[in-house]
């Protein structure tokens, strides 16, 4: 609603149209209604009567908020219908933006009414977490301190030297759906790949069978309590050796975050994918540089007998 009112007010000022001169006041009014609904949801009630009274106030506050938002949406529709025929390319672009935000506003108004006024549960696939980056997803990490994040998950395959061999942006997909395809693609490019260790989130009986047919050692640990057969399998020397190397991937993930993946500054899904690829290239260059530096350092030590002291 903030973008709708701002853009419509700006276009009206350019064309000398009336009706939106109080855009700032309208924004404050709408924000005040939003704050009223927000603060009521934070309050706590004690007795049953107070709980019922609180619920009534919450519904009334959300009804006032959505009704006022809907009124501004209808008013904005009338204005863009009047300015659409100006023939100005700039106005056409603004109208396109406004119509996009109107679609978001109508969806949110509908979801608020369904959730608060009618008590429905909104399906997860209907939710949008960013009107500016609609591809953003809700990521449940299940970790203390950071139970969830907003963004997109990225799956990476890293070799024993720290190079990222393959990466994939996981849009609307789960870990179990990614395990087999990313290994097939990686092995197609690197045929010498014989073993791989996975996080527990990638486990499924089907993945276990398919990966065992592709790799000599598929270290795919199972969540929860293990049967005797599973315990014997995960105690094998090859499985244990692969799992001991697995923590290195956490270092690679942290390094990618330092190379730009902590927060993407590009726009759109294509921009995000490009940002991920550049971060992977940056990480691989850093690993290559570290290997070359260590090789030169060993050579220098053999010839001079002295170590080079680095300071930062």
């Amino acid at each position: 609603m903030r973008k709708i009112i701002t853009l419509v007010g700006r276009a009206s000022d350019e064309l000398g149209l009336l009706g939106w001169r109080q855009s700032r006041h309208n924004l404050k009014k709408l924000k005040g209604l939003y704050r009223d609904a927000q603060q009521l949801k934070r309050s706590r009630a004690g007795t049953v009567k107070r709980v019922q009274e609180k619920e009534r106030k919450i519904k009334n506050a959300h009804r006032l908020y959505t009704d006022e938002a809907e009124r501004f949406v209808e008013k904005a529709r009338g204005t863009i219908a009047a300015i659409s025929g100006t023939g100005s390319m700039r106005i056409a672009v603004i109208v396109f933006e406004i119509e996009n935000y109107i679609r978001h506003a109508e969806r949110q108004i509908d979801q608020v009414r369904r959730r608060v006024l009618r008590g429905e549960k909104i399906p997860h696939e209907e939710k949008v977490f960013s009107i500016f980056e609609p591809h953003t997803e809700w990521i449940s990490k299940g970790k203390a301190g950071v139970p969830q994040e907003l963004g997109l998950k990225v799956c990476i395959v890293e070799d024993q030297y720290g190079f990222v061999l393959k990466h994939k942006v996981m849009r609307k997909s789960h870990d179990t759906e990614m395990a087999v395809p990313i290994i097939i693609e990686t092995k197609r490019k690197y045929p010498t790949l014989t073993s791989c260790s996975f996080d527990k989130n990638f486990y499924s009986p089907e993945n276990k069978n398919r990966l065992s047919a592709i790799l000599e050692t598929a270290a795919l640990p199972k969540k929860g309590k293990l049967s005797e057969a599973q315990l014997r399998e995960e105690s094998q020397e090859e499985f244990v050796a692969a799992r001991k190397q697995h923590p290195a991937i956490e270092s690679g993930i942290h390094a990618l975050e330092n190379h730009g993946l902590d927060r993407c500054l590009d726009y759109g899904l294509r921009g995000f994918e490009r940002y991920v690829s550049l971060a992977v290239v940056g990480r691989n260059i850093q690993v290559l540089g570290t290997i070359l530096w260590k090789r030169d350092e060993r050579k220098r030590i053999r010839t001079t007998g002295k170590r080079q002291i680095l300071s930062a």
Side-chain angles (χ1 to χ4, degrees):
M1 293 308 305
R2 175 175 60 84
K3 296 295 293 184
I4 291 172
I5 293 173
T6 301
L7 291 172
V8 173
R10 189 180 302 163
S12 298
D13 289 342
E14 285 188 24
L15 299 174
L17 298 179
L18 302 178
W20 293 93
R21 290 179 296 176
Q22 294 185 330
S23 295
R24 292 186 178 180
H25 171 73
N26 293 336
L27 280 173
K28 289 182 179 179
K29 180 180 179 181
L30 200 60
K31 189 172 182 178
L33 292 172
Y34 167 72
R35 293 298 187 194
D36 290 343
Q38 187 181 45
Q39 292 300 323
L40 278 171
K41 294 190 74 173
R42 291 181 179 178
S43 63
R44 296 180 180 179
T47 63
V48 175
K49 184 176 180 180
R50 291 185 64 184
V51 169
Q52 293 174 346
E53 180 65 16
K54 174 192 168 184
E55 290 296 324
R56 186 189 66 79
K57 289 182 178 180
I58 288 175
K59 288 184 177 181
N60 186 56
H62 282 79
R63 188 177 294 108
L64 291 174
Y65 176 46
T66 54
D67 288 349
E68 189 69 7
E70 192 172 49
R71 185 177 72 83
F72 281 119
V73 166
E74 292 303 317
K75 186 178 178 181
R77 282 193 177 280
T79 302
I80 62 175
I83 67 177
S84 294
T86 59
S88 169
M89 181 60 69
R90 172 177 167 76
I91 296 299
V93 171
I94 293 177
V95 168
F96 179 80
E97 284 189 82
I98 295 170
E99 289 176 341
N100 178 53
Y101 290 126
I102 284 177
R103 287 191 291 270
H104 282 296
E106 289 177 335
R107 184 200 63 252
Q108 289 301 117
I109 290 170
D110 175 65
Q111 289 184 0
V112 169
R113 286 173 173 168
R114 287 163 56 196
R115 176 69 182 89
V116 180
L117 303 184
R118 298 199 288 270
E120 296 181 18
K121 184 177 180 180
I122 307 300
H124 184 80
E125 58 271 13
E126 292 186 24
K127 299 177 183 178
V128 175
F129 302 104
S130 173
I131 64 172
F132 304 106
E133 302 291 343
H135 57 269
T136 301
E137 297 179 7
W138 181 278
I139 303 172
S140 297
K141 301 189 71 174
K143 296 181 179 179
V146 190
Q148 62 273 329
E149 289 181 346
L150 294 178
L152 285 177
K153 293 189 290 185
V154 178
C155 183
I156 64 171
V157 178
E158 188 181 75
D159 69 3
Q160 67 270 34
Y161 305 107
F163 290 102
V164 178
L165 304 180
K166 183 69 180 176
H167 71 276
K168 194 81 171 177
V169 175
M170 299 171 58
R171 191 181 181 210
K172 295 182 179 179
S173 60
H174 301 286
D175 294 345
T176 52
E177 301 168 354
M178 186 60 57
V180 175
I182 197 168
I183 291 300
I184 291 175
E185 293 176 17
T186 306
K187 193 169 177 62
R188 186 180 298 123
K189 192 171 183 180
Y190 303 97
T192 56
L193 177 66
T194 58
S195 67
C196 187
S197 175
F198 301 82
D199 284 334
K200 290 185 177 181
N201 291 335
F202 290 93
Y203 181 85
S204 74
E206 182 184 359
N207 285 348
K208 181 67 177 176
N209 294 332
R210 294 183 64 184
L211 289 170
S212 297
I214 299 171
L215 302 170
E216 293 179 10
T217 303
L220 189 62
K222 181 181 179 297
K223 284 184 176 181
K225 189 176 181 180
L226 303 179
S227 64
E228 291 187 8
Q230 291 168 340
L231 188 60
R232 283 196 303 271
E233 181 183 355
E234 296 192 11
S235 300
Q236 292 177 0
E237 185 177 350
E238 296 83 1
F239 194 101
V240 173
R243 292 304 297 166
K244 285 183 177 179
Q245 292 184 344
H246 188 81
I249 194 69
E250 298 297 334
S251 175
I253 293 171
H254 183 68
L256 286 175
E257 290 179 348
N258 289 338
H259 283 87
L261 290 191
D262 187 41
R263 180 170 176 263
C264 178
L265 301 179
D266 214 332
Y267 294 99
L269 181 60
R270 289 289 299 275
F272 181 84
E273 292 174 341
R274 181 170 56 247
Y275 218 74
V276 172
S277 298
L278 290 173
V280 169
V281 171
R283 170 58 177 169
N284 286 342
I285 291 174
Q286 183 191 43
V287 172
L288 178 60
T290 302
I291 293 173
L292 294 176
W293 179 84
K294 288 182 177 179
R295 185 193 66 182
D296 293 343
E297 178 69 2
R298 287 193 297 267
K299 183 178 179 181
R300 197 184 64 81
I301 292 174
R302 285 196 301 268
T303 56
T304 64
K306 296 180 181 180
R307 293 182 178 273
Q308 183 181 3
I309 299 176
L310 300 178
S311 61

